[in-house]
Amino acid sequence: VQLVESGGGSVQAGGFLRLSCAASGLTYFSYYMGWFRQAPGKEREWVASIYTTLGDTFYADSVKGRFTISQEKAKNMVYLQMNVLKPEDTALYYCAARVAGSGFSTKEADFPYWGQGTQVTVS
């Protein structure tokens, strides 16, 4: 499994960005695709997930109403639309994948597949 993120950058507070995650090598029927982030000096935290089979979405309270996770199944793409960005959203953002049969989880350790990360800086 390979996950490749893109779309990070530097924006001013109140701005927006869309992150993309290109997935390949996913051999199971369904997954939870997630976005995590890690700010300097902090632990990696879960941001959002999508259940690929039905499109159900889940969000951390800190981003609910501002971020939207979506997928384009035909292209094996997952997106994170981030609106009304705040300085506290500054972090390295990672795409991650977990086989859906293992159940929903927000724990970093429960996601075996990870991308390399894309930096988001909000000033």
Side-chain angles (χ1 to χ4, degrees), residues 105-116:
S105 175
T106 63
K107 297 179 181 179
E108 175 184 355
D110 289 339
F111 284 76
Y113 309 113
W114 291 84
Q116 82 290 347

Side-chain angles (χ1 to χ4, degrees), residues 5-108:
E5 304 96 334
S6 61
S10 296
V11 296
Q12 292 188 334
F16 62 91
L17 282 173
R18 188 175 86 152
L19 306 183
S20 299
C21 173
S24 60
L26 298 175
T27 58
Y28 288 89
F29 179 71
S30 62
Y31 290 80
Y32 284 100
M33 300 297 297
W35 286 96
F36 287 74
R37 66 186 182 185
Q38 187 168 20
K42 295 188 177 181
E43 294 186 352
R44 195 175 300 187
E45 65 172 354
W46 171 76
V47 174
S49 288
I50 186 166
Y51 175 44
T52 60
T53 301
L54 298 178
D56 296 349
T57 57
F58 310 86
Y59 298 94
D61 287 343
S62 58
V63 305
K64 199 172 294 183
R66 299 188 298 122
F67 290 13
T68 302
I69 188 171
S70 62
Q71 63 177 344
E72 199 168 353
K73 293 179 70 173
K75 295 184 178 181
N76 284 336
M77 295 291 296
V78 176
Y79 306 99
L80 186 67
Q81 178 68 41
M82 305 185 296
N83 297 330
V84 195
L85 282 162
K86 304 175 181 180
E88 50 264 43
D89 294 318
T90 295
L92 190 59
Y93 282 72
Y94 296 91
C95 179
R98 165 181 172 79
V99 176
S102 302
F104 174 74
S105 175
T106 63
K107 297 179 181 179
E108 175 184 355

